[in-house]
Amino acid sequence: MADLVIDPSPGLSGELTPPGDKSISHRAVMFAAIAEGRTEITGFLPGEDTLNTAKAVRMLGITVAESGPGALTVEGRGLNGLSEPSGVLDLGNSGTGMRLLAGLLAGQDFFSVLTGDQYLAKRPMGRIVEPLRSMGAVIEGRSGGKYAPLAIRGAGKNVKPLSFLSPIASAQVKSAVILCGLYADGVTTVTEPHKSRDHTERMLRFFGAAVKEDGLQVSVRGRQTLTARGTVEIPADISSAAFFMVAACTVPGSDIVIRNVGVNPTRTGIIDVLVSMGADISLLSPREQAGEPVADVRIRYRRLHAAAVRGDLIPRSIDEIPVIAVAAATASGTTLIKDAAELRVKESDRIATIAAELRKMGAAVRELPDGLEITGRERLNGAPCESHGDHRIAMSLAVAGLAATGQTAVRDAEWIETSFPGFEHMLRQSAY
Ligand code: S3P
């Protein structure tokens, strides 16, 4: 796929189930590897990012077999069952893959090297390298350890517990420190400025570990045993569902149901933002799967109005800000997005890239150092635009195209494969 060509949609309809949650998929295969016994994983995201993580876990000596579409069987070997990889672990485009694995590898008594693609090589790694070094790991990387590739000599039996005050609300940083902390003799604590997604905490508990949470503080005692508990059922990714939620909110006449969506409260900022913009969204049949809340989500078209998106809402909707910008560009009034400087160090500088691309479609967007100011108009103009090598920018622009006049062509749309294989097919099924 090179260009993704989108024509205006007459309205979205029907039911759909997006692929498995990316954050939970990474964690499921990593944590199952260090649990004792066999874990079946269903709903595993077959995207490039998570497949790279599964491959890296295999290179650490763990048997990971594909037992069907989205189904993996992992033969966990316990906390000390990983072995030194003979080659470099390549995490491709994935920040989560690299940062979480770095945390896990910092606790081993062997040497490993992590690398990724040209985009991952530009993303900040100092945020995990520094705390992991103070836990005893020896880590080298470009620019003194600020950037990948990273070479890690794990601290093994000498991992020191850490009380870490994280300057940013980042689940990747929190998880890297906690994973290394599993190998320490003592209690490791991470305190964040705002609460980030808590999939690591939930999944460690699912595998039988004790994890203490106290407000913005998470603590874990090292050297606990993780035990396989049968099947981890991964829900559909709310970050992928978000594209369809916004599409249904912006294309008149739409009425869709998205099945089996993970609605963990640390991830549902997208729903709260859209509801604050006047959206008609209902959560049906709430239930729980492997320690994660799940529901079906119904969205019916209603014209949106502007809202303010800032503070605690930002970490709860961080990956959805590009598509929230699309919603804002067609809503009445001026939407202000603040406190989101982290967007500048994602797969692309998402503040700059979404602003530049939405302007091509006629949107009034002002870039702020830590956010965006967007004044909506009834209809955007279809236009040729670019993904900037960023899956979520590509999908956001496709959604913008559905509600625009004329045709939109998103260049380099193949990046969508990192997180949402089958996106184009699912979009064509529900939007035309
Ligand atoms: C993720 C955490 C977030 C998010 C990313 C996935 C995770 O990143 O943007 O897509 O799975 O832990 P940060 O932790 O860097 O905010």
Side-chain angles (χ1 to χ4, degrees), residues 16 97 147 158 179 245 341 396:
L16 59 131
Y147 301 104
N158 302 316
L179 281 169
M245 291 182 194
S396 299

Side-chain angles (χ1 to χ4, degrees), residues 154-228:
K157 289 181 181 53
N158 302 316
V159 176
K160 294 186 284 239
L162 180 68
S163 266
F164 183 58
L165 198 58
S166 177
I168 41 176
S170 162
Q172 294 180 4
V173 173
K174 173 174 66 178
S175 303
V177 172
I178 288 177
L179 281 169
C180 187
L182 286 177
Y183 291 85
D185 186 11
V187 175
T188 291
T189 299
V190 181
T191 309
E192 298 189 283
H194 297 279
K195 194 169 172 61
S196 65
R197 64 190 65 189
D198 65 357
H199 303 302
T200 292
E201 296 88 313
R202 286 173 185 262
M203 196 172 288
L204 285 177
R205 285 194 191 110
F206 175 81
F207 282 113
V211 181
K212 218 176 114 202
E213 271 176 88
D214 185 4
L216 298 171
Q217 197 167 305
V218 178
S219 307
V220 67
R221 188 171 34 78
R223 305 185 180 173
Q224 303 186 54
T225 303
L226 308 190
T227 311

Side-chain angles (χ1 to χ4, degrees), residues 113-358:
V113 180
L114 301 176
T115 193
D117 69 12
Q118 52 167 323
Y119 297 96
L120 190 53
K122 285 193 214 140
R123 298 182 62 188
M125 292 297 149
R127 54 179 62 191
I128 53 146
V129 167
E130 283 174 22
L132 296 175
R133 277 178 179 159
S134 48
M135 298 177 86
V138 177
I139 309 181
E140 290 297 338
R142 281 163 49 240
S143 299
K146 287 195 176 71
Y147 301 104
L150 299 177
I152 303 178
R153 156 75 45 204
K157 289 181 181 53
N158 302 316
V159 176
K160 294 186 284 239
L162 180 68
S163 266
F164 183 58
L165 198 58
S166 177
I168 41 176
S170 162
Q172 294 180 4
V173 173
K174 173 174 66 178
S175 303
V177 172
I178 288 177
L179 281 169
C180 187
L182 286 177
Y183 291 85
D185 186 11
V187 175
T188 291
T189 299
V190 181
T191 309
E192 298 189 283
H194 297 279
K195 194 169 172 61
S196 65
R197 64 190 65 189
D198 65 357
H199 303 302
T200 292
E201 296 88 313
R202 286 173 185 262
M203 196 172 288
L204 285 177
R205 285 194 191 110
F206 175 81
F207 282 113
V211 181
K212 218 176 114 202
E213 271 176 88
D214 185 4
L216 298 171
Q217 197 167 305
V218 178
S219 307
V220 67
R221 188 171 34 78
R223 305 185 180 173
Q224 303 186 54
T225 303
L226 308 190
T227 311
R229 287 258 315 273
T231 304
V232 176
E233 280 177 85
I234 300 176
D237 198 326
I238 187 167
S239 296
S240 297
F243 299 106
F244 290 88
M245 291 182 194
V246 171
C249 287
T250 51
V251 181
S254 298
D255 183 355
I256 57 168
V257 174
I258 313 178
R259 295 267 176 225
N260 211 39
V261 182
V263 288
N264 179 317
T266 61
R267 297 282 300 281
T268 47
I270 176 68
I271 295 178
D272 296 348
V273 170
L274 291 174
V275 167
S276 77
M277 297 175 86
D280 179 355
I281 302 185
S282 35
L283 264 55
L284 315 170
S285 321
R287 53 203 182 266
E288 192 156 305
Q289 267 173 224
E292 291 280 350
V294 176
D296 302 324
V297 183
R298 181 173 185 189
I299 308 106
R300 280 175 281 195
Y301 172 79
R302 199 193 273 159
R303 176 98 208 271
L304 301 182
H305 52 73
V309 186
R310 62 198 309 171
D312 280 353
L313 251 183
I314 296 295
R316 296 182 54 237
S317 61
I318 189 71
D319 292 339
E320 291 68 69
I321 301 290
V323 81
I324 288 171
V326 171
T330 57
S332 61
T334 300
T335 291
L336 181 66
I337 301 170
K338 290 275 293 168
D339 308 320
E342 271 296 298
L343 289 177
R344 296 208 180 267
V345 292
K346 293 294 177 188
E347 285 82 331
S348 69
D349 173 347
R350 287 182 174 159
I351 294 179
T353 51
I354 198 68
E357 298 309 311
L358 283 177

